[in-house]
Amino acid sequence: MNCLETLLIDRKNMRENDMLEKDEIFSKVLRAGRRTYFFDVRATKADDYYITITESKKFTEEDGSFHFKKHKIYLYKEDFAAFSEILEEMTAYVLNHKGEEVISERHQKDFKREYQQETVTEEKPASEKSFTDIDFDDI
């Protein structure tokens, strides 16, 4: 199954789970690795607009099957200005303090090699082993 098929299945499942909500009026999708963000403008019963932001994360099981975990935020017009202001402030803070370069271990090309070099440990002599280092053959 390709990414587009997975995305369409995920979107269909989300719609089936959200039967009480009206269809989207305007939508945008942001795919980001295992995560997909859906930004949707929807209408209330009074025909006013609000935004939903949904994070959908794909999890693959050992047997190859998969499932999605979803988290949704409902954002109403009366909160747009404050939400936007705080989001802008928070993103500026992160970028000003850490820059735009991604430094998490999942994004570092040499993480495994660096990590393995840093965590190489020598075998302790038998006299320094703790009591929990017992081999069943010793019993």
Side-chain angles (χ1 to χ4, degrees):
M1 182 174 305
N2 67 34
C3 291
L4 181 57
E5 290 172 328
T6 302
L7 184 62
L8 292 174
I9 289 170
D10 186 31
R11 193 67 171 162
K12 180 182 177 221
N13 290 339
M14 287 177 58
R15 282 197 178 120
E16 289 172 0
N17 291 335
D18 297 331
M19 293 298 281
L20 298 177
E21 294 180 335
K22 291 186 177 180
D23 286 334
E24 300 87 24
I25 286 126
F26 179 68
S27 296
K28 291 279 188 171
V29 176
L30 171 62
R31 292 187 6 207
R34 289 185 338 162
R35 294 181 311 269
T36 302
Y37 299 98
F38 299 96
F39 299 85
D40 299 304
V41 173
R42 298 179 182 267
T44 64
K45 289 180 183 178
D47 204 34
D48 201 2
Y49 289 171
Y50 65 99
I51 296 172
T52 61
I53 303 169
T54 307
E55 176 199 40
S56 178
K57 198 171 190 181
K58 182 178 180 181
F59 291 89
T60 306
E61 305 295 336
E62 289 181 15
D63 66 359
S65 65
F66 58 89
H67 68 279
F68 296 91
K69 288 189 179 178
K70 299 172 191 81
H71 300 94
K72 185 175 280 197
I73 296 172
Y74 294 82
L75 189 58
Y76 298 94
K77 287 192 315 188
E78 60 267 24
D79 302 320
F80 285 2
F83 187 92
S84 179
E85 184 179 312
I86 291 171
L87 181 61
E88 186 176 328
E89 181 181 354
M90 299 303 277
T91 55
Y93 181 89
V94 170
L95 295 175
N96 288 335
H97 286 83
K98 293 296 180 179
E100 291 188 26
E101 181 183 1
V102 177
I103 57 174
S104 72
E105 63 220 33
R106 288 185 177 174
H107 295 90
Q108 289 180 357
K109 293 177 185 172
D110 298 328
F111 172 74
K112 286 184 181 177
R113 186 171 19 151
E114 290 173 17
Y115 180 75
Q116 288 169 345
Q117 289 173 355
E118 291 174 9
T119 58
V120 171
T121 57
E122 295 179 19
E123 179 67 28
K124 292 182 183 178
S127 61
E128 292 182 22
K129 287 187 177 183
S130 70
F131 71 92
T132 58
D133 295 331
I134 297 174
D135 191 345
F136 285 108
D137 293 337
D138 296 338
I139 298 178

